[in-house]
Amino acid sequence: MLLGILAVPNAHSSVVSLVLDVLQTFLDYIPAEAVDKHALTDAEAADRLALVNRTIQDHVSQILSHMRTCFTSDVLSLAATQQQQGQSGKPSGAVTQAMRQIHILSRVAEYATKQARDAKALLDILLPILKRPNRTVPERTKNDVLKVMLRFVPLVLNDHDNALTADEQQKLFAVYLEAVSSAFGRIRLDTARATLSQLLVLLAGISSHKQESVSCLQNAAAIIDGINSFSTERLSEPDFERRLEAYAQLNEEMWSRPDLLDAQAWVPVLYNLKYFAQDHEELSTRSNAAHGLSRYITRVSQACQTEPQALQTQLLGRGLTSIVLPAIKHAFTSKHEPVRAEFLGVLRKTVRECGHYFVQLEDLTRLDSADEEANFFYNL
């Protein structure tokens, strides 16, 4: 098959590009356009569509296998040229080729594969792309990666052929959940955040199915879907009513109940709160997100007081040190004063309620004087 060229290690980039053109032509086939362009009847155009779909469906595993080989080469080229791109600001040919392949892969993924091992191998290669800076990998390309995940993650985690052990699936679930959660803290593109929400709902559903009950992760997914919602009537306008309802549910009802939000479920919530608390334009969004961070700090403090040695307490503490504190540090570099002020309040609460439980905060407790006139945080 022509696609076998993709697996040739030393294939020239122009040849690879030509093969991708052929595959792209198949994927872009639209019967209505074919009727106008090639003077076909509706029946003939429909027959060709069926042929296109059947051809791709019959060879999807082979396509993915060849693409995996090609990706291994091009993604490594992307990593090797990242520093050079950062200096020049222009993507290299290898990077552009890799981005194109990612887009095509997101289209081929619609036809899926039944091989869990193939799906896992491709996800292993693509996941690190989500952490690339936007100057080297645009967010539209990252959204393509997320679409591939949306199709392939269920194949890996619901492996009916037993190609992966239960322990392997459990570890991969944690990897995919961390990748999705952390992406919420970086990605700004509306469509990409919507895809992230779909992925989190998917992962929560898998978790719930294995536990045979409503999981805490499902509660978190519902909250996150709400605070990322957009109006169905106006293009690209946030649905403020749904967002405020979601914040109210989190900040007034769920934050203090470990049976509704455990430490694992808090992780994607924290990344979202961290992201929205840096919104310098919308006061209600920023203040509600910062309030959510304050609620989490209180939750950590309560756990440290009542069950200091419990696993959940340790995991909650890890969320504070690995997500909240770095977010505060980063926010202090913001050029927007309202954002800095919001996070200063979060830091003050963190020091006051958790300062004696974490070595990273011990020195700062001396700055939190009971006398407001001498208190560093009130006079900064």
Side-chain angles (χ1 to χ4, degrees), residues 163-218:
L164 302 171
T165 66
D167 188 50
E168 285 178 315
Q169 288 181 329
Q170 186 176 1
K171 290 179 180 178
L172 287 171
F173 178 88
V175 170
Y176 299 153
L177 179 59
E178 171 58 26
V180 171
S181 299
S182 60
F184 272 116
R186 295 186 303 270
I187 291 179
R188 297 188 296 268
L189 188 67
D190 297 343
T191 52
R193 294 189 71 84
T195 309
L196 281 171
S197 294
Q198 293 177 45
L199 267 168
L200 188 61
V201 169
L202 174 67
L203 289 169
I206 293 173
S207 173
S208 177
H209 177 73
K210 292 184 177 181
Q211 295 177 16
E212 298 182 351
S213 63
V214 176
S215 68
C216 291
L217 200 55
Q218 283 183 305

Side-chain angles (χ1 to χ4, degrees), residues 34 53 91 132 140 157 181 188 200 227 248-249 267 328 346 380:
N53 289 337
R132 301 276 185 194
R140 292 189 184 279
L157 299 182
S181 299
R188 297 188 296 268
L200 188 61
I227 65 178
Q249 188 178 8
V267 172
I328 294 173
V346 174
L380 183 62

Side-chain angles (χ1 to χ4, degrees), residues 62 293 325:
Q62 187 177 4
L293 291 173
L325 293 184

Side-chain angles (χ1 to χ4, degrees), residues 270 273-274 277 286-298 320 323-325 327-329 331-332 339-354 361 377:
L270 285 177
L273 296 177
K274 158 192 167 181
R286 185 175 66 250
S287 60
N288 276 287
H291 186 47
L293 291 173
S294 296
R295 288 300 202 189
Y296 179 76
I297 292 162
T298 302
L320 180 68
I323 302 174
V324 178
L325 293 184
I328 294 173
K329 182 178 180 181
F332 285 160
V339 173
R340 297 196 301 270
E342 204 75 68
F343 275 89
L344 180 62
V346 174
L347 178 60
R348 180 173 62 243
K349 188 174 183 67
T350 305
V351 172
R352 181 166 296 176
E353 298 195 9
C354 299
L361 300 171
F377 297 104

